[in-house]
Amino acid sequence: MGSLSGVPDANLATNNHRIYVPFCDRNSNSNNASTFIDCYTPQANSWYRVTSIPACGENLVLKDFAMVAVGPHIYVLGGRVCINPAEHGSSSPSAAASQDQEIRPRVVAWVRRYDVEADAWEMCKPMSEARFSFACTVCDGKIYVAGGQSSLGRARGISSSEVYDPALDQWRSLAKMSRMRYKCVGVTWKGKIHVVGGFVGGENYGPYDQTARSSAEVYDAERNKWIYVARMWDLDVPPRQIVAVNGKLFSSGDCLQSWKGHIEAYDEIQNIWNVVYGSSFDCMSPTSTAAEGRSYLTMAPIGNQLYFLAGYRMPGEGSLLRSVVHVFDTAAEGGAWRSMEPIEEEGEKELCGHCCVLKQD
């Protein structure tokens, strides 16, 4: 069990860090449904609304995109434009309008940059291929993307990859991966780009190659080639998130089970994932908070610590969401959990992509 703390996070590593999380309204009846970004400040244990991602069209929201921080900016890449759930199947004018060519549900290649200090959005050069549910990571100030899906209504991944240079606002195509992957995870580890797991297929492997689902691919920049790594991921279910902390890789869930009840660390020598000693924790289970269910869960690394930001739907009339942040110290002997004071808010929101961490001066 973790300790409950209502005081700000005094860890020096968190003083200038903010965690940005993308959400959209769940079952909103508003004609102004949007995808927005909320910010969590560890030092104060507080949330606030930062901005809305520029509108895709009336009653349309953006999901399954990638969001990363580079320097003072947040980048939102790709994704799928969806009809607001409350309007699905509706015959209202707004639903009819969503079928227009310009605002219809679709996969996009957009890249949008948000300047946190100036509170301003601008369009960047789009990716060469539209994609959602793809791997994305930052290495040496550049953004790498790989895999994903390029069309709706078809469970088939793509193998293309590319890299974006923010300083030049330019994309450059990279070699294709050996497999088509979607719902794969990107992480920079030991200076190399890793694309792990996913639903995997290919011309010679079929759309549901279970052996390949547990594999990964590592980008060799010198040869512009992806190196296939068998069984880097234990399961044939795609990982949810993988983050690097002090030269180690950590994971805590998959696409079916966002929280396994513990944290796992990757053993490169044995090529297996082991349960981190002291990381078992039942406080992220909805039953432990008397909640109706978990609305969202995302993980962010800051310094030695892993921040788990979770939201729970509370029982009773109306929509009440309880947000709570749990912190695990990867450097503490035997591990150490602590939980911040929960915060309640009206309404309900859905996680539309994973969070990113930005260090501010």
Side-chain angles (χ1 to χ4, degrees), residues 64 133-134 149 182-185 196-200 213 233 235-242 251-260 294 297 351 354:
D64 297 329
S133 295
F134 57 97
Q149 291 176 267
Y182 69 96
K183 286 191 178 296
C184 44
V185 170
V196 184
F199 292 114
V200 183
R213 286 188 193 183
W233 178 247
L235 306 173
D236 65 359
V237 178
R240 184 171 178 82
Q241 280 182 277
I242 297 175
S251 175
S252 61
D254 54 50
C255 286
L256 296 181
Q257 193 175 9
S258 58
W259 171 246
K260 293 182 178 180
R294 187 168 46 235
L297 176 65
L351 191 69
H354 286 300

Coordinates of all heavy atoms in Angstrom, one line a residue, residues 64 133-134 149 182-185 196-200 213 233 235-242 251-260 294 297 351 354:
D64 N -6.4 8.5 -30.9 CA -5.3 7.6 -31.3 C -4.2 8.3 -32.0 O -3.6 7.7 -33.0 CB -5.9 6.4 -32.1 CG -6.9 5.6 -31.4 OD1 -6.7 5.5 -30.1 OD2 -7.8 5.0 -32.0
S133 N -2.7 5.0 -34.2 CA -2.3 3.9 -33.4 C -0.9 3.4 -33.8 O -0.6 2.2 -34.1 CB -3.3 2.7 -33.5 OG -4.5 3.0 -32.9
F134 N 0.0 4.4 -33.9 CA 1.4 4.1 -34.4 C 2.4 4.3 -33.3 O 2.1 4.9 -32.2 CB 1.7 5.0 -35.6 CG 1.5 6.5 -35.4 CD1 2.6 7.2 -35.1 CD2 0.3 7.1 -35.5 CE1 2.5 8.6 -34.9 CE2 0.1 8.4 -35.3 CZ 1.2 9.2 -34.9
Q149 N -2.0 2.4 -38.5 CA -3.0 2.1 -39.5 C -3.3 3.3 -40.3 O -3.3 4.4 -39.8 CB -4.4 1.6 -38.9 CG -4.3 0.3 -38.2 CD -5.6 -0.1 -37.5 OE1 -5.8 0.2 -36.3 NE2 -6.5 -0.6 -38.2
Y182 N 0.5 -2.3 -36.0 CA -0.3 -1.2 -35.4 C -0.6 -1.5 -34.0 O -0.5 -2.7 -33.5 CB -1.6 -1.0 -36.2 CG -2.7 -2.0 -36.1 CD1 -3.7 -1.9 -35.2 CD2 -2.6 -3.1 -37.0 CE1 -4.7 -2.9 -35.1 CE2 -3.6 -4.1 -36.9 CZ -4.7 -4.0 -36.0 OH -5.6 -4.9 -35.9
K183 N -0.9 -0.5 -33.2 CA -0.9 -0.5 -31.8 C 0.4 -0.9 -31.2 O 0.5 -1.6 -30.2 CB -2.0 -1.4 -31.3 CG -3.4 -0.8 -31.4 CD -4.5 -1.6 -30.6 CE -5.8 -0.9 -30.8 NZ -5.9 0.4 -30.2
C184 N 1.5 -0.6 -31.9 CA 2.8 -0.8 -31.4 C 3.3 0.4 -30.6 O 2.7 1.4 -30.7 CB 3.8 -1.1 -32.6 SG 3.6 0.0 -34.0
V185 N 4.4 0.2 -29.8 CA 4.8 1.2 -28.9 C 6.2 1.6 -29.3 O 7.1 0.8 -29.6 CB 4.8 0.7 -27.5 CG1 5.5 1.7 -26.6 CG2 3.4 0.5 -27.0
V196 N 8.0 -1.7 -30.4 CA 7.7 -3.0 -29.7 C 6.3 -3.5 -29.9 O 5.4 -2.7 -29.7 CB 8.0 -2.8 -28.2 CG1 7.9 -4.1 -27.4 CG2 9.4 -2.2 -28.0
G197 N 6.2 -4.7 -30.1 CA 4.9 -5.4 -30.2 C 3.9 -4.9 -31.2 O 4.3 -4.4 -32.3
G198 N 2.6 -5.0 -30.9 CA 1.6 -4.6 -31.9 C 0.9 -5.7 -32.5 O 1.3 -6.9 -32.4
F199 N -0.2 -5.4 -33.2 CA -0.8 -6.4 -34.1 C 0.0 -6.5 -35.3 O 0.2 -5.4 -36.0 CB -2.3 -6.1 -34.3 CG -3.1 -6.2 -33.1 CD1 -3.7 -5.1 -32.5 CD2 -3.3 -7.4 -32.5 CE1 -4.5 -5.2 -31.4 CE2 -4.1 -7.6 -31.3 CZ -4.7 -6.4 -30.8
V200 N 0.5 -7.6 -35.7 CA 1.6 -7.7 -36.7 C 1.2 -8.6 -37.8 O 0.6 -9.7 -37.6 CB 2.9 -8.2 -36.1 CG1 4.0 -8.2 -37.1 CG2 3.3 -7.3 -34.9
R213 N 3.9 -10.8 -32.9 CA 3.3 -9.8 -31.9 C 4.2 -9.6 -30.7 O 4.2 -8.6 -30.1 CB 2.0 -10.3 -31.5 CG 0.9 -10.2 -32.5 CD -0.5 -10.5 -31.8 NE -1.5 -10.8 -32.8 CZ -2.8 -11.0 -32.4 NH1 -3.1 -11.0 -31.1 NH2 -3.7 -11.2 -33.3
W233 N 8.9 -8.7 -26.3 CA 7.7 -8.4 -25.6 C 7.1 -9.8 -25.2 O 6.9 -10.7 -26.1 CB 6.7 -7.6 -26.3 CG 5.4 -7.3 -25.6 CD1 4.1 -7.8 -26.0 CD2 5.2 -6.5 -24.4 NE1 3.2 -7.3 -25.1 CE2 3.8 -6.6 -24.1 CE3 6.0 -5.8 -23.6 CZ2 3.3 -5.9 -23.0 CZ3 5.5 -5.2 -22.5 CH2 4.2 -5.2 -22.2
L235 N 4.1 -10.9 -24.4 CA 2.7 -11.3 -24.8 C 2.4 -11.1 -26.2 O 3.1 -10.3 -26.9 CB 1.7 -10.5 -23.9 CG 1.9 -10.5 -22.4 CD1 1.0 -9.6 -21.8 CD2 1.7 -11.9 -21.9
D236 N 1.4 -11.8 -26.7 CA 0.9 -11.5 -28.1 C -0.1 -10.4 -28.1 O -0.7 -10.0 -29.1 CB 0.4 -12.7 -28.8 CG -0.8 -13.3 -28.1 OD1 -1.3 -12.8 -27.1 OD2 -1.4 -14.3 -28.7
V237 N -0.4 -9.8 -26.9 CA -1.3 -8.7 -26.7 C -0.4 -7.4 -26.7 O 0.6 -7.4 -26.0 CB -2.1 -8.7 -25.4 CG1 -2.9 -7.4 -25.3 CG2 -3.0 -9.9 -25.4
P238 N -0.6 -6.4 -27.6 CA 0.3 -5.3 -27.7 C 0.4 -4.6 -26.3 O -0.5 -4.5 -25.5 CB -0.4 -4.3 -28.6 CG -1.3 -5.3 -29.5 CD -1.8 -6.3 -28.5
P239 N 1.6 -4.0 -26.1 CA 1.9 -3.3 -24.8 C 1.1 -2.0 -24.9 O 0.7 -1.5 -25.9 CB 3.4 -3.0 -24.9 CG 3.7 -3.1 -26.3 CD 2.8 -4.1 -26.9
R240 N 0.8 -1.4 -23.7 CA 0.1 -0.2 -23.6 C 1.1 1.0 -23.6 O 1.0 1.9 -24.4 CB -0.7 -0.1 -22.3 CG -1.6 1.1 -22.2 CD -2.6 1.0 -21.0 NE -3.4 2.1 -20.8 CZ -4.5 2.4 -21.5 NH1 -4.9 1.6 -22.5 NH2 -5.1 3.5 -21.3
Q241 N 2.1 1.0 -22.7 CA 3.1 2.0 -22.7 C 4.4 1.3 -22.3 O 4.4 0.4 -21.4 CB 2.8 3.1 -21.7 CG 1.8 4.1 -22.2 CD 1.6 5.2 -21.1 OE1 0.8 5.0 -20.2 NE2 2.4 6.3 -21.2
I242 N 5.5 1.8 -22.8 CA 6.9 1.4 -22.3 C 7.7 2.7 -22.2 O 7.7 3.5 -23.2 CB 7.5 0.4 -23.3 CG1 6.7 -0.9 -23.4 CG2 9.0 0.1 -22.9 CD1 7.3 -1.9 -24.4
S251 N 7.2 -1.2 -17.9 CA 5.9 -1.4 -18.5 C 5.0 -1.8 -17.3 O 5.4 -2.3 -16.3 CB 5.8 -2.4 -19.6 OG 4.5 -2.6 -20.0
S252 N 3.7 -1.5 -17.5 CA 2.7 -1.8 -16.4 C 1.4 -2.3 -16.9 O 0.5 -2.5 -16.1 CB 2.5 -0.5 -15.6 OG 1.9 0.5 -16.3
G253 N 1.3 -2.5 -18.2 CA 0.0 -3.0 -18.7 C 0.0 -3.3 -20.2 O 1.1 -3.1 -20.9
D254 N -1.1 -3.7 -20.7 CA -1.2 -4.0 -22.2 C -2.5 -3.4 -22.7 O -3.3 -2.8 -21.9 CB -1.0 -5.5 -22.5 CG -2.0 -6.3 -21.7 OD1 -3.2 -6.0 -21.7 OD2 -1.6 -7.3 -21.1
C255 N -2.9 -3.7 -23.9 CA -4.1 -3.1 -24.5 C -5.3 -3.7 -23.9 O -6.4 -3.1 -24.0 CB -4.0 -3.4 -26.0 SG -2.9 -2.3 -26.9
L256 N -5.3 -4.8 -23.3 CA -6.5 -5.4 -22.7 C -6.6 -5.1 -21.2 O -7.6 -5.0 -20.7 CB -6.5 -6.9 -22.9 CG -6.6 -7.4 -24.4 CD1 -6.6 -9.0 -24.4 CD2 -7.8 -6.9 -25.0
Q257 N -5.4 -4.9 -20.6 CA -5.4 -4.7 -19.1 C -4.4 -3.6 -18.9 O -3.2 -3.7 -18.9 CB -4.9 -6.0 -18.4 CG -5.1 -6.0 -16.9 CD -4.7 -7.3 -16.3 OE1 -4.2 -8.2 -17.0 NE2 -5.0 -7.5 -15.1
S258 N -5.0 -2.4 -18.7 CA -4.1 -1.2 -18.6 C -3.3 -1.2 -17.4 O -2.2 -0.5 -17.3 CB -5.0 0.1 -18.6 OG -5.9 0.1 -17.6
W259 N -3.7 -1.9 -16.3 CA -2.8 -2.0 -15.1 C -2.8 -3.5 -14.7 O -3.9 -4.1 -14.4 CB -3.3 -1.1 -14.0 CG -2.7 -1.4 -12.7 CD1 -3.3 -1.9 -11.5 CD2 -1.3 -1.1 -12.3 NE1 -2.3 -1.9 -10.5 CE2 -1.1 -1.5 -11.0 CE3 -0.2 -0.7 -13.0 CZ2 0.1 -1.4 -10.3 CZ3 1.0 -0.6 -12.4 CH2 1.2 -0.9 -11.1
K260 N -1.7 -4.1 -14.7 CA -1.5 -5.5 -14.4 C -1.5 -5.8 -12.9 O -1.5 -6.9 -12.4 CB -0.3 -6.1 -15.0 CG -0.3 -6.2 -16.5 CD 1.0 -6.8 -17.0 CE 1.0 -6.9 -18.5 NZ 2.3 -7.6 -19.0
R294 N -12.6 2.5 -14.1 CA -11.5 3.4 -14.3 C -11.8 4.1 -15.7 O -12.0 3.4 -16.7 CB -10.2 2.7 -14.3 CG -9.0 3.7 -14.5 CD -7.7 3.0 -14.2 NE -7.5 1.8 -14.8 CZ -7.3 0.6 -14.2 NH1 -7.1 0.6 -12.9 NH2 -7.1 -0.5 -14.9
L297 N -6.0 5.9 -17.6 CA -4.8 5.6 -16.9 C -3.6 5.8 -17.9 O -3.6 5.3 -19.0 CB -4.7 4.2 -16.4 CG -3.4 3.7 -15.7 CD1 -3.2 4.6 -14.4 CD2 -3.4 2.3 -15.4
L351 N -9.4 9.3 -22.4 CA -8.0 9.5 -22.8 C -7.9 9.2 -24.3 O -8.4 8.2 -24.8 CB -7.1 8.5 -22.1 CG -5.6 8.6 -22.2 CD1 -5.2 9.9 -21.5 CD2 -4.9 7.4 -21.6
H354 N -1.5 9.1 -25.3 CA -0.8 9.1 -24.0 C -0.1 10.4 -23.7 O 0.0 11.3 -24.6 CB 0.3 8.0 -24.1 CG -0.3 6.6 -24.0 ND1 -1.0 6.2 -22.8 CD2 -0.3 5.6 -24.8 CE1 -1.4 5.0 -23.0 NE2 -1.0 4.6 -24.2

